[in-house]
Amino acid sequence: MSGPIQVGQLYPTNLNSGLLGRTKNVSNETSTSDFQNILDNKLLKFSNHASKRLEQRGIELSADQLKSVNQAIDKAAAKGAKESLILMQNSVALIVNVPNRTVVTAMDGKSMKDNVFTQIDSAVII
């Protein structure tokens, strides 16, 4: 090598990076994305609209209630539900997009009275 060193001239292009003492960390990237997919599929999310309704109506959900909602979503998903009404014993109703595991809106007992629930294909009572 009498001339200046240029990128790509130090090593041939077909040289395996493992030969240089470096290992590719592909499995770590894959496991991270797999973990994120599992987390996204099991995590209950709240839409902006639902968050506002919970705040406006003073609805607070405990950890046990959230666990029950997650179990209800699992049951609805097992039956092939897409949009589900989840009625809770504490007079709270949630409309949930089952495939996305996202609460779309929330109502308390006062808001539910005399209302008709539309665009749902299932109901789960917990």
Side-chain angles (χ1 to χ4, degrees):
M1 282 202 230
S2 60
I5 298 175
Q6 295 179 357
V7 175
Q9 280 189 330
L10 290 177
Y11 303 106
T13 57
N14 61 356
L15 184 64
N16 186 351
S17 64
L19 297 174
L20 299 175
R22 290 182 252 151
T23 58
K24 290 187 178 181
N25 202 359
V26 175
S27 63
N28 188 23
E29 292 173 7
T30 303
S31 65
T32 303
S33 65
D34 289 344
F35 177 74
Q36 187 63 40
N37 287 338
I38 291 169
L39 187 63
D40 288 342
N41 289 334
K42 292 294 181 182
L43 191 64
L44 180 62
K45 296 169 250 173
F46 290 86
S47 69
N48 287 335
H49 177 78
S51 297
K52 288 178 186 175
R53 294 298 173 259
L54 287 168
E55 186 179 328
Q56 287 174 350
R57 296 172 177 155
I59 301 170
E60 293 182 11
L61 300 174
S62 68
D64 289 338
Q65 290 172 324
L66 291 174
K67 184 178 178 181
S68 295
V69 171
N70 270 320
Q71 291 171 347
I73 292 171
D74 291 339
K75 290 178 184 178
K79 298 287 185 176
K82 302 292 182 213
E83 295 286 331
S84 187
L85 167 67
I86 298 178
L87 290 172
M88 302 176 72
Q89 291 179 352
N90 60 346
S91 298
V92 172
L94 305 172
I95 303 289
V96 178
N97 180 297
V98 176
N100 294 334
R101 302 185 71 83
T102 303
V103 176
V104 178
T105 193
M107 292 156 276
D108 57 359
K110 295 175 191 174
S111 302
M112 282 191 289
K113 191 171 184 175
D114 296 328
N115 274 334
V116 175
F117 297 98
T118 59
Q119 297 181 354
I120 61 169
D121 58 14
S122 61
V124 182
I125 300 170
I126 55 173

